[in-house]
C-alpha cells in the first residue's frame, strides 16, 4: 500500500512533545482536519487537560474513535537512536515517542474518516472522536470527564474503537474486547513494638498477618469465564520494622492488587478480604482504591466488523483478548453499547526507540475505513 497521508499526519503529531497532560498543538491539528470534514468540534477542557468531542451527524448509530494525544516521558534522550520527538523513518519503521501509543492510530482514523466521507458524504449515522491529553497520567480530567458530559446530555455511542496498540506479533492478530478491573488495597496491620528478646511484651504484626496472608494467596476468588481468566490477587509491597535487628515492629504495611473479571465485583472482593482479616483477629486499617471496573463486549457486530476488515486487509485471523492493564475503555463503556481496542503493535510502547512498522500504517487506516463502511452501511 502506498497511502502516505496517515504517515504524514502521524509524523506531524509525533513532532509535538505532548507529555501528559500537555497536548501542545495535537488537538488543534486534529480540529482543523475534522472541521474541514464537517465535524462539530467541542473543546471540553478541565484543569490542565485538553479534550475534544467531535461529531459529524446527529443520528444513530454513532461510531466513535477514542484516543489520547498525550505520551509518557521519553526517558534519557541520549539513549534514543534518533530524537524522540523527531519522527524518523529507519529500517522500514517509524520511530518516535507516541508512534505506537497512540498517535499513529489517531492519524489512521482521521485519514480513514476523510476517505470514507469523500466517498460517502451522505453516510448514515454519525462519526465521532473523543480525544484526551490525560490518559497516561492520573486520568481524572480526561475521558472520564467527557463521558460525564455525554451522560448528562443523554448521548450514547453504539460502536467505539479505542486506538490502543493491541497487536502482539502481526497487525490485527489481537483485538481487546474487554479489560479486567483493578482494585488496590493499602493495609496496615497493627501490633506492639518491643525488644526482640522479650516477645511476650510485644505483638509482632508480621507473625499475626502470616496466616491471613497464606489464606489470601490461596483463595480462589472466581473461576473467570470464556473471556476472562480467574481473578488474581497479588502483593506488590510489604514493609515493616525499624531497620534494627533487635526491635519487633509495631506495624506492617501491605499493598496489594486485584485484577478482577466480570465474575467478581469490587464490593464483593472487599467484603471477602475483610472477612479473612477479621477471622484471623487482626487489628488493622485498610484503604481501598478502585481504578477501573471490568468491562466486556461480547462477540457481536463490532467484533465481527473488526475481524472481517482485518482478514481482508492483513490476511490474519483475529483473537479476542481481555489481557493487559487498564485503558480509557473503562470509562467509555458506560455510554457505549459495544467497545473494542484495536491499534498497531504494542511491542515497543513506553520504551526507548518506540516504533511501528511503516507497512502497518496504511493497513490500519484501511481497517478503520472498512469498519466505518460496514457499521454505517454506506
Amino acid at each position: 500500500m502506498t497511502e502516505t497521508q496517515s504517515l504524514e499526519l502521524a509524523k506531524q503529531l509525533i513532532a509535538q512533545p505532548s507529555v501528559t497532560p500537555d497536548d501542545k498543538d495535537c488537538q488543534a491539528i486534529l480540529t482543523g482536519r475534522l472541521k474541514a470534514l464537517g465535524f462539530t468540534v467541542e473543546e471540553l477542557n478541565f484543569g490542565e487537560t485538553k479534550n475534544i468531542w467531535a461529531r459529524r451527524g446527529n443520528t444513530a448509530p454513532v461510531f466513535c474513535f477514542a484516543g489520547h494525544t498525550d505520551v509518557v516521558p521519553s526517558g534519557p534522550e541520549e539513549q534514543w537512536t534518533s530524537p524522540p520527538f523527531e519522527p524518523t523513518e529507519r529500517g522500514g519503521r517509524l520511530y518516535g515517542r507516541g508512534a505506537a501509543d497512540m498517535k499513529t492510530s489517531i492519524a489512521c482514523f482521521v485519514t480513514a474518516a476523510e476517505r470514507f466521507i469523500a466517498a460517502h458524504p451522505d453516510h448514515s449515522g454519525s462519526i465521532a472522536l473523543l480525544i484526551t491529553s490525560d490518559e497516561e497520567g492520573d486520568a481524572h480530567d480526561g475521558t472520564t470527564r467527557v463521558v460525564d458530559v455525554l451522560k448528562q446530555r443523554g448521548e450514547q455511542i453504539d460502536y467505539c474503537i479505542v486506538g490502543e496498540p493491541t497487536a502482539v506479533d502481526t497487525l490485527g492478530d489481537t483485538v481487546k474486547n474487554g479489560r479486567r478491573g483493578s482494585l488496590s488495597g493499602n493495609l496496615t496491620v497493627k501490633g506492639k513494638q518491643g525488644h526482640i528478646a522479650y516477645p511476650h511484651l510485644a505483638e509482632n504484626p508480621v507473625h499475626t498477618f502470616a496466616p491471613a496472608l497464606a489464606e489470601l494467596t490461596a483463595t480462589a476468588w472466581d473461576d473467570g469465564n470464556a473471556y476472562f481468566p480467574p481473578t488474581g490477587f497479588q502483593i506488590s509491597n510489604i514493609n515493616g520494622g525499624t531497620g534494627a535487628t533487635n526491635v519487633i515492629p509495631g506495624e506492617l504495611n501491605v499493598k496489594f492488587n486485584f485484577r478482577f473479571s466480570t465474575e467478581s465485583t469490587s464490593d464483593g472482593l472487599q467484603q471477602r478480604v475483610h472477612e479473612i482479616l477479621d477471622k484471623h483477629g487482626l487489628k488493622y486499617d485498610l484503604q481501598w482504591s478502585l481504578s477501573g471496573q471490568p468491562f466486556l463486549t461480547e462477540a457481536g457486530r463490532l467484533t465481527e466488523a473488526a475481524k472481517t476488515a482485518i482478514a481482508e486487509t492483513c490476511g490474519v485471523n483475529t483473537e479476542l483478548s481481555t489481557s493487559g492493564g487498564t485503558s480509557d475503555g473503562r470509562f467509555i463503556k458506560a455510554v457505549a453499547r459495544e467497545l473494542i481496542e484495536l491499534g498497531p503493535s504494542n511491542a515497543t510502547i513506553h520504551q526507548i526507540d518506540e516504533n511501528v512498522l511503516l507497512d502497518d500504517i496504511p493497513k490500519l487506516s484501511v481497517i478503520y475505513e472498512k469498519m466505518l463502511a460496514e457499521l454505517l452501511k454506506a
Side-chain angles (χ1 to χ4, degrees), residues 38-114:
F39 280 81
T40 298
V41 182
E42 296 179 72
E43 295 183 5
L44 299 171
N45 301 332
F46 301 95
E48 296 181 336
T49 300
K50 289 186 177 181
N51 308 292
I52 56 173
W53 170 249
R55 180 165 173 169
R56 186 183 196 273
N58 53 21
T59 60
V62 179
F63 186 124
C64 176
F65 177 88
H68 60 89
T69 52
D70 60 313
V71 297
V72 297
S74 65
E77 293 195 18
E78 66 275 10
Q79 294 183 18
W80 285 70
T81 307
S82 50
F85 297 107
E86 290 183 16
T88 303
E89 296 180 45
R90 185 173 66 251
R93 296 176 179 271
L94 173 64
Y95 288 82
R97 175 59 84 223
D101 190 11
M102 55 174 286
K103 292 180 175 181
T104 295
S105 299
I106 296 173
C108 287
F109 189 83
V110 170
T111 56
E114 288 173 340

Side-chain angles (χ1 to χ4, degrees), residues 109-132:
F109 189 83
V110 170
T111 56
E114 288 173 340
R115 294 192 306 275
F116 174 76
I117 292 167
H120 308 284
D122 299 319
H123 63 82
S124 64
S126 303
I127 306 174
L129 290 91
L130 193 171
I131 307 294
T132 183

Side-chain angles (χ1 to χ4, degrees), residues 189-209:
V189 181
K190 299 179 179 181
K192 183 179 179 182
Q193 184 174 306
H195 196 293
I196 209 155
Y198 301 95
H200 59 288
L201 300 178
E203 182 179 8
N204 194 323
V206 179
H207 295 185
T208 59
F209 179 61

Side-chain angles (χ1 to χ4, degrees), residues 278-293:
D278 293 341
K279 183 176 77 173
H280 289 277
L282 298 179
K283 293 173 286 187
Y284 67 91
D285 288 326
L286 177 52
Q287 304 298 319
W288 293 98
S289 174
L290 177 67
S291 57
Q293 294 283 7

Side-chain angles (χ1 to χ4, degrees), residues 146-160:
V146 178
V147 169
D148 286 344
V149 172
L150 298 181
K151 285 181 182 177
Q152 292 167 7
R153 299 198 304 218
E155 289 194 60
Q156 290 288 316
I157 295 168
D158 294 281
Y159 309 114
C160 182

